Amino acid sequence: MKEPNPTTDPIGQNLIKLISNVCFSVFVFTVLVITVIAITYQPPDPWESSRALTRVFTEVENATFQIDTSVLKTGEDVGMVLVSPAAAPSEAEADADASDTQNDTQNDTQNDTQNDAIVQKPEESSEISCDESRLVNCSDRGVLMAIKKFNLKRFKSIVFLDYQLPVNGSNANECDVSWRFRNRKEKSWRRYRDFRRFKIGYTDDCNYKVVGARGWHSGVNARRPRARFNATRTERTVKVSPSYRDDDINDTIPVLGSDLAFRNGKYLYYSRGGDYCKNMNHYIWSFLCALGEAQYLNRTFVMDLSVCLASAYTSSKKDEEGKDFRFYFDFEHLKESASIVEEDEFLKDWKRWEKNHKKKIPVRKVPTYKVTPMQLKKDRSTIIWRQFDTPEPENYWYRVCESKAANYIQRPWHALYKSKRLMNIVSEISGQMDWDFDAVHVVRGEKAQNKELWPHLDDDTSPDALVAKLQNIIQPWRNLYVATNEPFYNYFDRLRSHYKVHLLDDYKELWGNTSEWYNETTVLNGKPVEFDGYMRVAVDTEVFYRAKTQVETFYNLTADCKDGINTC
């Protein structure tokens, strides 16, 4: 037997040790690199991360429809409260949402505070002594920093997103500045614009400071003129007053374009049913059912932009057809949140394709809601056409989402926001009260007259009762916004002895014939648009939600149940 060579054993052992040392060194180096990255890495703002945005815009509660024409909420409202008690979010979910809002507030405040840390001295202050009689240079960065600091302290309920460089006001030492913002209580990321005039002075150490500030939209020199836009459904020339428009609104109708794009698509088409001309809550409930089915089937929903406004919302007390969906809801957000095509464009493309190709598009007609979405899931037809020709209530769209289908169809509440044009009016009203106001919702009308279902409502919302109850809730001489369906303007005069009372009709100029809303809707519609009852309810609702203290009729003012006797 051959003996091992004593000279080769140390070489093998040394090689093994060398390899082990190299591997261990690589491991240690890798650990050090990962440690350094972990220490120096700055995570992005959670509100800017895709995961957080996905969570915010896809948290959809399984809402249950209830008819209520007094106060209406849509997807951008806090908590998305169109839910039944059984489907309401738990306390843990509510706490989590409140935590998100608080973190958002802290992040915004911290960022702006860091910006304000920049020295706010005038450009020439380092060379000469501070002379308070010198004219303020509005373009000096210190002026903008002083205005930012002032706004942060004064307006805590809004988030300031970006500022424009200040410009000179009408008088010496006055500066006009414009900024974009969003409301902390609104879940949407829609931006609004304000521009105000500030009186600028100097501190003892020659820094800039805000001596005085005017109200909402007072800084007219900072307001940028905006080009007019063309109507999307008409070629008629419409005469409107010289005004400005919101460049953030893009409610143009999407166009498929080529025959190939049309043929490659899959569509869900609902014919008009018994929901037409029903109250707006009914319409929303049915519309979101149809949109939810389209999403479940992974199809593009064919949407009729024509809305019939029920008599409850019209001045004529008759149903009015031909209203545009875009008067009431945010069509741009809907386009971004769901796959939709406008009905007229769809029918035009359908007809053109069949004419060009001399053959029919595969269509499956569904005559009854009893054919469930689950049965249509694997259908390969280009168009699934649901028809609602049966008598009411068999021809309601929302019947499609009943029974077993309710376990599969989720109504996309997050896709439905109120019109940005209406929300601009909300911001204007809130801004004119400097975002510092309380609100009371006073339900009267038919409910106050119906003593059988609401026996105490009329007395509990009388002027004397309102004064007595609100004095225990709201501090005297606060701005008090009254959201109400009470038609008599002077009904709340007794409150004026205790509060600065604001009603929706105090702001008629915001939808009058010289307003931005009037001009834009006129161009969109081809003729002037009435500011109808549903628009009033929508604006009243959103202003109410922005109040610091909110007093509800059926929770604070009366013991009657919201839906009638014995329904609490």
Side-chain angles (χ1 to χ4, degrees):
M1 179 175 178
K2 187 176 179 179
E3 296 181 357
N5 188 351
T7 61
T8 61
D9 289 343
I11 295 176
Q13 293 176 2
N14 291 336
L15 182 61
I16 293 173
K17 289 181 180 179
L18 178 62
I19 295 174
S20 300
N21 291 337
V22 170
C23 293
F24 181 76
S25 299
V26 171
F27 171 77
V28 171
F29 180 77
T30 303
V31 171
L32 289 175
V33 170
I34 294 175
T35 303
V36 171
I37 293 175
I39 293 174
T40 59
Y41 174 67
Q42 295 291 334
D45 186 339
W47 278 91
E48 298 296 335
S49 68
S50 60
R51 184 170 65 179
L53 288 175
T54 301
R55 173 173 55 82
V56 169
F57 290 110
T58 57
E59 285 180 347
V60 185
E61 284 123 5
N62 185 18
T64 300
F65 173 59
Q66 293 181 352
I67 296 178
D68 180 10
T69 58
S70 55
V71 177
L72 303 176
K73 299 185 181 184
T74 46
E76 73 270 47
D77 300 326
V78 175
M80 291 166 34
V81 296
L82 278 171
V83 296
S84 65
S90 65
E91 292 183 3
E93 292 171 332
D95 291 342
D97 184 64
S99 176
D100 289 340
T101 303
Q102 183 178 6
N103 292 336
D104 179 39
T105 301
Q106 293 173 350
N107 290 335
D108 291 322
T109 304
Q110 182 179 5
N111 292 336
D112 285 327
T113 302
Q114 292 173 353
N115 292 334
D116 291 334
I118 300 174
V119 177
Q120 299 177 10
K121 293 185 178 181
E123 294 172 351
E124 65 273 21
S125 61
S126 60
E127 301 178 2
I128 61 175
S129 60
C130 184
D131 181 6
E132 294 187 2
S133 64
R134 285 176 303 139
L135 293 179
V136 171
N137 178 11
C138 292
S139 62
D140 191 336
R141 179 174 175 81
V143 173
L144 181 57
M145 291 299 103
I147 292 173
K148 284 184 176 181
K149 187 174 182 179
F150 175 85
N151 282 346
L152 279 175
K153 290 181 178 180
R154 184 168 181 177
F155 305 113
K156 298 185 182 299
S157 62
I158 61 178
V159 178
F160 296 90
L161 302 176
D162 60 79
Y163 285 82
Q164 300 296 320
L165 191 67
V167 299
N168 293 331
S170 300
N171 301 314
N173 295 343
E174 286 185 345
C175 298
D176 292 0
V177 63
S178 172
W179 60 80
R180 290 182 183 274
F181 67 92
R182 68 176 180 86
N183 192 282
R184 296 189 191 278
K185 294 185 178 181
E186 184 177 333
K187 276 199 169 183
S188 80
W189 281 76
R190 290 187 296 197
R191 300 175 300 172
Y192 305 93
R193 183 177 292 277
D194 192 8
F195 38 90
R196 302 201 180 204
R197 178 161 295 172
F198 297 86
K199 183 75 172 179
I200 306 298
Y202 299 97
T203 62
D204 293 338
D205 55 353
C206 211
N207 290 331
Y208 288 118
K209 68 177 181 179
V210 174
V211 178
R214 296 192 185 180
W216 171 265
H217 281 18
S218 57
V220 293
N221 291 347
R223 182 175 189 176
R224 297 181 301 172
R226 301 153 184 167
R228 294 181 184 178
F229 64 107
N230 297 323
T232 56
R233 296 186 66 112
T234 179
E235 297 297 328
R236 286 178 289 175
T237 301
V238 183
K239 294 183 67 176
V240 296
S241 303
S243 185
Y244 303 83
R245 65 177 293 262
D246 191 333
D247 292 325
D248 289 336
I249 298 177
N250 176 20
D251 50 14
T252 55
I253 296 172
V255 179
L256 290 175
S258 66
D259 283 357
L260 181 61
F262 174 78
R263 183 63 182 85
N264 289 338
K266 299 290 184 181
Y267 306 96
L268 177 64
Y269 182 25
Y270 274 45
S271 64
R272 190 171 290 176
D275 315 85
Y276 200 65
C277 293
K278 292 295 187 292
N279 71 74
M280 192 64 81
N281 278 12
H282 186 142
Y283 168 79
I284 292 173
W285 187 246
S286 291
F287 170 73
L288 289 178
C289 167
L291 194 61
E293 184 187 21
Q295 292 183 343
Y296 171 76
L297 298 176
N298 196 25
R299 289 175 173 266
T300 297
F301 182 66
V302 181
M303 180 178 176
D304 181 6
L305 286 180
S306 177
V307 175
C308 178
L309 194 65
S311 59
Y313 307 110
T314 64
S315 57
S316 65
K317 301 304 178 184
K318 297 179 180 179
D319 297 341
E320 295 182 2
E321 300 186 39
K323 299 288 186 177
D324 196 309
F325 177 90
R326 294 169 291 180
F327 295 165
Y328 310 100
F329 303 104
D330 190 334
F331 188 59
E332 179 181 12
H333 176 69
L334 182 62
K335 290 187 296 183
E336 295 172 349
S337 305
S339 178
I340 59 172
V341 61
E342 195 269 333
E343 183 182 44
D344 289 344
E345 291 292 333
F346 169 78
L347 295 176
K348 187 189 305 180
D349 290 340
W350 185 358
K351 182 177 180 181
R352 185 186 67 238
W353 191 92
E354 291 188 340
K355 180 179 180 181
N356 292 341
H357 294 270
K358 309 299 182 184
K359 60 181 179 180
K360 298 292 184 180
I361 286 280
V363 179
R364 176 172 178 178
K365 295 183 178 180
V366 183
T368 174
Y369 73 90
K370 295 179 181 179
V371 178
T372 67
M374 296 77 79
Q375 294 173 293
L376 301 174
K377 182 69 173 177
K378 296 182 180 180
D379 194 289
R380 302 178 62 87
S381 301
T382 300
I383 302 171
I384 294 179
W385 186 355
R386 279 197 178 273
Q387 299 172 324
F388 297 87
D389 299 327
T390 53
E392 295 186 25
E394 299 294 309
N395 61 352
Y396 290 160
W397 285 9
Y398 70 76
R399 301 299 299 273
V400 173
C401 299
E402 292 181 337
S403 301
K404 293 182 179 179
N407 298 323
Y408 295 88
I409 306 300
Q410 293 291 328
R411 286 178 170 84
W413 291 104
H414 64 282
L416 192 66
Y417 284 2
K418 292 183 177 71
S419 162
K420 178 65 160 50
R421 295 184 178 92
L422 292 178
M423 296 301 290
N424 284 339
I425 294 178
V426 171
S427 291
E428 184 114 8
I429 294 174
S430 302
Q432 289 192 26
M433 292 185 284
D434 273 345
W435 304 94
D436 184 20
F437 64 96
D438 303 316
V440 56
H441 175 219
V442 182
V443 175
R444 290 190 54 77
E446 295 180 0
K447 288 188 177 181
Q449 298 172 10
N450 189 334
K451 302 291 185 179
E452 294 183 1
L453 293 180
W454 297 276
H456 308 103
L457 179 60
D458 188 25
D459 293 335
D460 289 340
T461 56
S462 66
D464 291 334
L466 289 173
V467 170
K469 291 174 182 177
L470 291 179
Q471 282 184 310
N472 297 325
I473 304 174
I474 298 176
Q475 295 295 320
W477 298 114
R478 288 272 298 161
N479 284 318
L480 178 64
Y481 186 84
V482 181
T484 183
N485 61 345
E486 170 58 49
F488 185 46
Y489 177 83
N490 295 324
Y491 185 82
F492 302 97
D493 279 355
R494 294 199 179 184
L495 289 174
R496 300 183 190 277
S497 300
H498 305 272
Y499 305 102
K500 300 174 185 177
V501 176
H502 302 261
L503 296 167
L504 183 60
D505 283 337
D506 294 330
Y507 301 93
K508 288 182 177 180
E509 72 278 1
L510 299 182
W511 59 85
N513 58 11
T514 60
S515 67
E516 179 178 317
W517 178 89
Y518 178 89
N519 291 336
E520 292 191 13
T521 54
T522 297
V523 173
L524 183 68
N525 189 50
K527 59 183 180 180
V529 177
E530 177 191 9
F531 194 78
D532 57 52
Y534 182 80
M535 297 173 184
R536 295 178 65 90
V537 172
V539 172
D540 250 356
T541 299
E542 292 298 332
V543 175
F544 177 81
Y545 293 151
R546 282 153 181 74
K548 292 186 174 180
T549 301
Q550 301 172 11
V551 182
E552 284 279 11
T553 298
F554 294 106
Y555 300 100
N556 305 112
L557 300 180
T558 183
D560 286 350
C561 301
K562 183 176 182 179
D563 298 318
I565 194 168
N566 296 328
T567 61
C568 293

